[in-house]
Structure formats: C-alpha cells, structure tokens
C-alpha cells in the first residue's frame, strides 16, 4: 500500500509565499530533529540569524534554516552566519515539486575551504551585503549527500 502524504508538496504554488515557506521549513526542521529525540530550544526573538538551538553531544548547536524550491542558490548574510563558530550549522531544506523535503545539516566549517558548492561573496562596492551561499545543482548534489540528516545524527 502506497503511503499518502498529508500536506502540500507543490512547493512552487503561487499561494505559498516566501514567508510561509520559511516558516514551514523552520517547523519541519524542528519536527525532524524532535522525531529523533533531540532537544530543541527556540529563541523568543529571531534577530541574530539563529532560528533555534539543539542540544548536541558536545554542547549546544545553533541552527539557521533555509529552504530552497528546486535547484537554486541559498544565501546567508555573513553578519548572521559566522563560519568561524563551530557550533553554527545551516539546515538546508530542498523542496522539489511532488516530493517530500530533503533535509541537510551543514556545518559552518565547510565555508572555510575553497569549494564550488559552499561559496562566499564580498560584494565590495555593491548594494548586496556579504554572504555565504550554497550552490544547489544536480552536479553538486553528491557533495551535499554527506550532510543529509541521517548522516549527521552522530552530532546529537
């Protein structure tokens, strides 16, 4: 018997706003971790780019959650995502129409070495603020695979 999905999986729907999608991804990430018995703590105010904190084996881990519809690039402003902080992680949720979300837990340390997948931009002399990004493409999917949720559970 085929399992029925109980929520929308048409992520590109016009009525699914960026804000609604962001909130869904944040809740989805928390529920996924909670399903493994991981303790989650949510700050009262989200003003420093930390969406929630979870208790890991070596202390508390900080998470910023980003969702992306299809294959695209995901950005985190440098002022809110410190790649020198070993307790900082990106939870990337990949949303493909007709499919359940794929969840990846990416340590901030990956941006410390040169990569075509995990990149940083300075934008000197431009309007955009400096950021770190993930290039999500078919070609780059194998580099994301080690960070799939199931592979990252030893953190907790």
């Amino acid at each position: 018997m085929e399992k029925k999905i109980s929520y929308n999986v048409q992520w590109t729907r016009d009525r699914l706003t960026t804000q609604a999608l962001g909130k869904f991804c944040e809740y989805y990430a928390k529920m996924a971790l909670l399903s493994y018995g991981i303790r989650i703590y949510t700050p009262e105010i989200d003003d420093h780019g930390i969406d929630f904190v979870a208790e890991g084996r070596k202390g508390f881990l900080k998470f910023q959650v980003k969702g992306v519809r299809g294959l695209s690039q995901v950005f985190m402003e440098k002022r809110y995502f410190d790649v020198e902080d070993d307790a900082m992680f990106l939870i990337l949720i990949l949303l493909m129409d007709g499919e359940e979300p794929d969840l990846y837990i990416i340590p901030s340390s990956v941006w410390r070495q040169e990569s075509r997948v995990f990149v940083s931009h300075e934008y000197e002399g431009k309007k955009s603020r400096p950021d770190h990004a993930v290039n999500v493409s078919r070609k780059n999917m194998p580099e994301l695979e080690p960070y799939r949720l199931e592979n990252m559970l030893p953190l907790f």
Side-chain angles (χ1 to χ4, degrees), residues 64-93:
Q64 189 170 117
V65 179
K66 296 288 183 182
V68 62
R69 301 182 222 215
L71 303 174
S72 184
Q73 202 172 52
V74 178
F75 303 92
M76 296 81 55
E77 283 190 41
K78 283 187 177 186
R79 65 185 177 150
Y80 296 127
F81 193 80
D82 182 4
V83 298
E84 298 303 320
D85 183 351
D86 287 333
M88 188 76 189
F89 292 80
L90 169 67
I91 291 187
L92 175 65
I93 299 180

Side-chain angles (χ1 to χ4, degrees), residues 94-149:
L94 180 57
L95 304 162
M96 303 294 279
D97 278 349
E99 297 179 18
E100 297 231 15
D102 285 324
L103 193 150
Y104 303 88
I105 299 178
I106 305 169
S108 61
S109 60
V110 301
W111 279 273
R112 292 185 215 153
Q113 58 257 351
E114 197 170 317
S115 167
R116 72 174 191 274
V117 179
F118 307 105
V119 298
S120 299
H121 306 106
E122 291 303 326
Y123 300 118
E124 291 180 30
K126 308 233 169 136
K127 286 185 181 181
S128 296
R129 293 196 170 143
D131 64 38
H132 302 291
V134 182
N135 292 321
V136 183
S137 68
R138 289 197 200 295
K139 177 178 157 186
N140 293 341
M141 290 311 292
E143 285 193 51
L144 286 175
E145 200 58 33
Y147 305 110
R148 190 173 285 280
L149 170 63

